[in-house]
Amino acid sequence: MKFSVLASGSTGNAVYVESGNQAFIVDAGLTGKKMEQLFAKIDRDIKKLSGILVTHEHSDHIKGVGVLARKYNVPVFANEKTWQAMTPSVGNIPLDQRFQFNMETVQAFGTLEIESFGVSHDAADPMFYTFHENGRKLAVITDTGYVSDRMKGIIRGADAFVFESNHDVNMLQMGSYPWSTKRRILSDVGHVSNEDAAIAMSDVVFEKDTHIYLSHLSKDNNMKDLARLSVAQTLQSVGIMPGEFVHLHDTDAEEPTKLVMV
């Protein structure tokens, strides 16, 4: 199993995962043209996609879903409430390309198993995914107001994480956003802070050589080095030494990460 974070942030989100002859993207939150460019940069053929796994209906996660589905005949997977919420935005998708992926279920595609799980975000029925193959696991969770014990139980012990580290609380509180926006981000249905991401990581990272991709970093209320330092220091406090056992990475919507073997 290999993956690449194609894009992450308020300007668009997409994570590519492949296994054998199966290839999926979690969300397609950029224009169809931009998605094609990102696929070219990781030397992959967008025509060979097995499906788009939608997490929720916010525009930075579905902007390219309709275009890619229609142009390349790609199946789209989402739960019922998300289908209802996103249909006005993604436009008409043929019925034979519309698939249900219910929350808290597992679907198998060849040797790849994909598990869905609910998160806490201000969307109709938001959920994210873990990918399992041959005892290896990739966990993707980039939009949630907090990380519950139930979520931790599902993602715990993954060999790779694409994990939200959205904002520094002090930067957000002192920043120029309207109070209503700050309150939303800080709420239980908003976004995970650097500090909360670090605490969650310390509870779910066990093995050496775990890949952690810090994602959905705010351009206005965070800094890459600050997010990385928050996670590194917390992991060090519980005996995991970044740089020796854990590779810390971050990404944004400018360039995809290189393909990484899980």
Side-chain angles (χ1 to χ4, degrees), residues 210-229:
T210 300
H211 296 277
I212 301 174
Y213 284 72
L214 302 180
S215 62
H216 217 304
L217 273 67
S218 169
K219 290 185 176 181
D220 297 315
N221 302 301
N222 209 348
M223 294 185 291
K224 294 177 182 179
D225 289 342
L226 189 58
R228 187 184 294 112
L229 183 62

Side-chain angles (χ1 to χ4, degrees), residues 52 62-71 90-93:
I52 302 170
I62 64 166
K63 188 179 297 180
V65 169
V67 172
L68 296 183
R70 288 184 289 271
K71 184 173 182 179
V90 301
N92 180 54
I93 294 176

Side-chain angles (χ1 to χ4, degrees), residues 164-171 186 192-202 222 226-227 230-231 234:
E164 180 170 55
S165 189
N166 177 256
H167 60 276
D168 174 79
V169 173
N170 290 331
M171 286 183 66
L186 292 168
V192 169
S193 67
N194 293 340
E195 296 85 349
D196 287 342
I199 292 169
M201 285 286 93
S202 68
N222 209 348
L226 189 58
S230 294
V231 173
T234 301

Side-chain angles (χ1 to χ4, degrees), residues 124-230:
D125 204 16
M127 67 184 193
F128 278 84
Y129 302 91
T130 59
F131 298 80
H132 306 256
E133 185 184 46
N134 296 327
R136 308 289 287 177
K137 180 165 74 172
L138 163 66
V140 180
I141 175 171
T142 66
D143 291 65
T144 188
Y146 68 97
V147 186
S148 68
D149 289 340
R150 178 186 56 81
M151 295 180 213
K152 290 177 184 177
I154 293 169
I155 67 176
R156 181 171 285 123
D159 302 282
F161 294 90
V162 180
F163 200 90
E164 180 170 55
S165 189
N166 177 256
H167 60 276
D168 174 79
V169 173
N170 290 331
M171 286 183 66
L172 175 62
Q173 290 176 332
M174 299 297 292
S176 60
Y177 282 13
W179 172 241
S180 59
T181 302
K182 294 178 182 180
R183 184 169 57 188
R184 172 197 169 256
I185 293 171
L186 292 168
S187 75
D188 284 350
V189 292
H191 291 280
V192 169
S193 67
N194 293 340
E195 296 85 349
D196 287 342
I199 292 169
M201 285 286 93
S202 68
D203 287 339
V204 300
V205 174
F206 295 151
E207 303 296 332
K208 69 177 183 178
D209 296 328
T210 300
H211 296 277
I212 301 174
Y213 284 72
L214 302 180
S215 62
H216 217 304
L217 273 67
S218 169
K219 290 185 176 181
D220 297 315
N221 302 301
N222 209 348
M223 294 185 291
K224 294 177 182 179
D225 289 342
L226 189 58
R228 187 184 294 112
L229 183 62
S230 294

Side-chain angles (χ1 to χ4, degrees), residues 60-97:
D60 58 328
H61 293 261
I62 64 166
K63 188 179 297 180
V65 169
V67 172
L68 296 183
R70 288 184 289 271
K71 184 173 182 179
Y72 296 107
N73 195 34
V74 180
V76 179
F77 298 82
N79 64 47
E80 183 178 358
K81 290 182 180 179
T82 297
W83 268 117
Q84 293 173 354
M86 74 176 181
T87 294
S89 298
V90 301
N92 180 54
I93 294 176
L95 287 176
D96 61 354
Q97 292 174 238

Side-chain angles (χ1 to χ4, degrees), residues 1-118:
M1 181 165 52
K2 296 179 180 179
F3 76 97
S4 168
V5 183
L6 299 179
S8 176
S10 59
T11 55
N13 297 271
V15 178
Y16 174 83
V17 183
E18 70 175 28
S19 171
N21 62 354
Q22 302 291 332
F24 291 87
I25 49 174
V26 178
D27 293 329
L30 300 97
T31 64
K33 182 177 180 180
K34 182 63 176 178
M35 291 297 300
E36 291 169 345
Q37 293 171 350
L38 292 169
F39 265 73
K41 288 182 178 181
I42 62 168
D43 194 27
R44 290 298 185 268
D45 188 351
I46 203 167
K47 298 176 184 177
K48 295 182 178 179
L49 270 179
S50 307
I52 302 170
L53 302 162
V54 179
T55 64
H56 61 292
E57 73 275 11
H58 290 170
S59 62
D60 58 328
H61 293 261
I62 64 166
K63 188 179 297 180
V65 169
V67 172
L68 296 183
R70 288 184 289 271
K71 184 173 182 179
Y72 296 107
N73 195 34
V74 180
V76 179
F77 298 82
N79 64 47
E80 183 178 358
K81 290 182 180 179
T82 297
W83 268 117
Q84 293 173 354
M86 74 176 181
T87 294
S89 298
V90 301
N92 180 54
I93 294 176
L95 287 176
D96 61 354
Q97 292 174 238
R98 297 166 60 102
F99 292 88
Q100 290 281 118
F101 202 133
N102 296 325
M103 190 179 294
E104 315 292 347
T105 61
V106 178
Q107 294 195 29
F109 303 87
T111 60
L112 180 66
E113 291 188 343
I114 305 175
E115 178 182 10
S116 62
F117 62 98

